[in-house]
Amino acid sequence: MIKTDILIIGAGPTGLFAVFEAGLLKLKCHLIDALPQAGGQCSEIYPKKPIYDIPGFPEILAGDLVANLMEQIKPFQPGFTLGERAETIEKLEDETFVVTTNNGTKHNAPIVAIAGGLGSFEPRKPKLDNLEKFEDNGLAYIIKDPEVYRNKKVLIAGGGDSALDWAIFLADVASEVTLVHRRNEFRGALDSVEKVQELKNLGKINLITPAEVVELKGDVNLKSVVVQNTATKENTRVEVDNFIPLFGLSPKLGPIGDWGLEIEKNAIKVDNTLDYQTNIPGIYAIGDVNTYPGKLKLILCGFHEATLMCQSAYQRIFPDKKYVMKYTTVGGVTGFDGSKKEAPKAVVKSID
């Protein structure tokens, strides 16, 4: 059985950063993730997608963010169980938990932090008759490598941040980018909306609103799509090499939803007034997997939640110990192997 101080379910950015914050408190972490590598969606779905709201980075690729986080936590030597899904949880008489994966691997810890992001998920697909015919033949729901679209005619459908961000990014990669949304208003960040409008004015993005794709055409490979104006019902045929509907993901908690946790709209309810603990003492939920009044599903919010969770976890494990706050600029970060590494931007907790 694998024993650790904090068992983290989910190895995305929030889970990885929790390792760093726990390490500063001399708490050991082990992470479970159903994916074969760390990084969550940032590694599996959009490693080349630029992220703009990480403090200190005007722009950073999702994959690079994961690489930086892995480097940051290296001194604290976390353990990983990858390619296995957390299946069941049991509370023992000593108040610790045993989490067993679908492969039978058992993990024991006094603290469980669920950082599962959106959980298991699948893309929301448009309702088109011949959709499956063109999947992997010009139709994709996820952009892993933008170079695939170099000098291609690309049509993106969607009105959220992902659609806006990829339209902006591919404007400098593809030969032609068309963005279609069924409304004139977008759901994404105002800055991204303004950037798309600017690129439209420069002739780098074709913006078609209010409209939706109603038909796909081609033999083996996709050749064109039919776009219908939702107001006038007028149809326009657009030649494309690639069609990318970005309508978000349908999240599912999976087995975690059967653990007795309080669930609201497919997310785990937590107490955000203090430490993001669930209705079961000792089990926390951080990042996109949780919900509370005013919740924002942003990576930087997950980092904040991970930090407070670790503070609470330390107090729960060591109720009689005290600690004081100090900056790592005093002496850097000391790893479990005794190695020192400077970390001038982080905050370290010195244990009394």
Side-chain angles (χ1 to χ4, degrees), residues 296-350:
L296 291 176
K297 296 198 175 201
L298 299 173
I299 292 175
L300 63 92
C301 294
F303 291 167
H304 164 77
E305 294 165 11
T307 303
L308 295 187
M309 178 276 294
C310 288
Q311 297 288 314
S312 176
Y314 180 86
Q315 293 173 343
R316 187 173 177 82
I317 296 172
F318 303 110
D320 299 326
K321 284 190 177 183
K322 297 180 180 179
Y323 59 89
V324 295
M325 302 290 289
K326 287 187 178 181
Y327 292 98
T328 55
T329 48
V330 173
V333 172
T334 303
F336 290 156
D337 59 357
S339 62
K340 282 268 190 174
K341 183 174 182 180
E342 293 299 324
K345 293 180 182 178
V347 175
V348 68
K349 296 82 182 171
S350 178

Side-chain angles (χ1 to χ4, degrees), residues 186-206:
F186 288 87
R187 303 186 309 275
L190 180 59
D191 181 68
S192 297
V193 176
E194 292 176 347
K195 182 64 174 177
V196 165
Q197 187 63 49
E198 178 184 336
L199 290 171
K200 174 196 172 187
N201 295 338
L202 292 172
K204 300 189 71 173
I205 288 181
N206 302 319

Side-chain angles (χ1 to χ4, degrees), residues 61-295:
L61 296 181
D64 291 341
L65 174 63
V66 171
N68 287 352
L69 287 166
M70 291 294 287
E71 181 66 24
Q72 187 178 27
I73 67 177
K74 189 181 294 184
F76 303 119
Q77 303 172 347
F80 289 90
T81 298
L82 299 176
E84 298 184 32
R85 183 182 64 248
E87 197 79 15
T88 63
I89 190 167
E90 177 188 3
K91 192 169 187 178
L92 305 182
E93 291 183 0
D94 63 359
E95 299 295 308
T96 66
F97 300 91
V98 172
V99 173
T100 305
T101 70
N102 60 313
N103 285 0
T105 308
K106 294 184 179 296
H107 310 75
N108 176 237
I111 301 293
V112 174
I114 301 172
L118 293 174
S120 59
F121 49 84
E122 59 183 29
R124 295 189 179 100
K125 300 180 180 182
K127 296 180 180 179
L128 298 172
D129 291 338
N130 53 354
L131 200 67
E132 294 182 0
K133 173 181 177 181
F134 296 109
E135 289 177 348
D136 299 324
N137 293 308
L139 170 63
Y141 306 106
I142 294 169
I143 299 176
K144 287 190 175 183
D145 182 6
E147 283 300 314
V148 170
Y149 307 101
R150 170 107 18 215
N151 299 324
K152 300 288 183 64
K153 294 180 180 179
V154 178
L155 187 144
I156 296 173
D161 285 313
S162 186
L164 291 167
D165 289 346
W166 276 121
I168 293 168
F169 187 89
L170 292 178
D172 291 325
V173 176
S175 62
E176 182 178 304
V177 174
T178 301
L179 178 60
V180 174
H181 182 42
R182 60 182 178 177
R183 298 187 180 92
N184 290 318
E185 301 79 22
F186 288 87
R187 303 186 309 275
L190 180 59
D191 181 68
S192 297
V193 176
E194 292 176 347
K195 182 64 174 177
V196 165
Q197 187 63 49
E198 178 184 336
L199 290 171
K200 174 196 172 187
N201 295 338
L202 292 172
K204 300 189 71 173
I205 288 181
N206 302 319
L207 183 59
I208 306 177
T209 63
E212 60 184 348
V213 175
V214 295
E215 188 177 354
L216 308 179
K217 290 183 175 293
D219 296 325
V220 176
N221 295 311
L222 184 66
K223 297 296 183 183
S224 65
V225 303
V226 177
V227 177
Q228 183 177 88
N229 185 296
T230 56
T232 66
K233 303 303 179 182
E234 180 183 355
N235 289 346
T236 303
R237 185 165 174 167
V238 181
E239 290 187 5
V240 298
D241 296 305
N242 300 93
F243 171 45
I244 311 169
L246 297 176
F247 299 142
L249 303 170
S250 297
K252 297 179 182 178
L253 285 175
I256 293 174
D258 299 323
W259 287 5
L261 301 167
E262 190 173 357
I263 307 297
E264 181 179 285
K265 294 181 179 179
N266 209 47
I268 301 171
K269 290 186 68 174
V270 296
D271 178 8
N272 69 313
T273 62
L274 182 62
D275 55 11
Y276 304 95
Q277 199 159 187
T278 69
N279 59 303
I280 300 178
I283 301 180
Y284 300 76
I286 54 177
D288 287 355
V289 76
N290 74 16
T291 185
Y292 52 84
K295 169 69 178 181

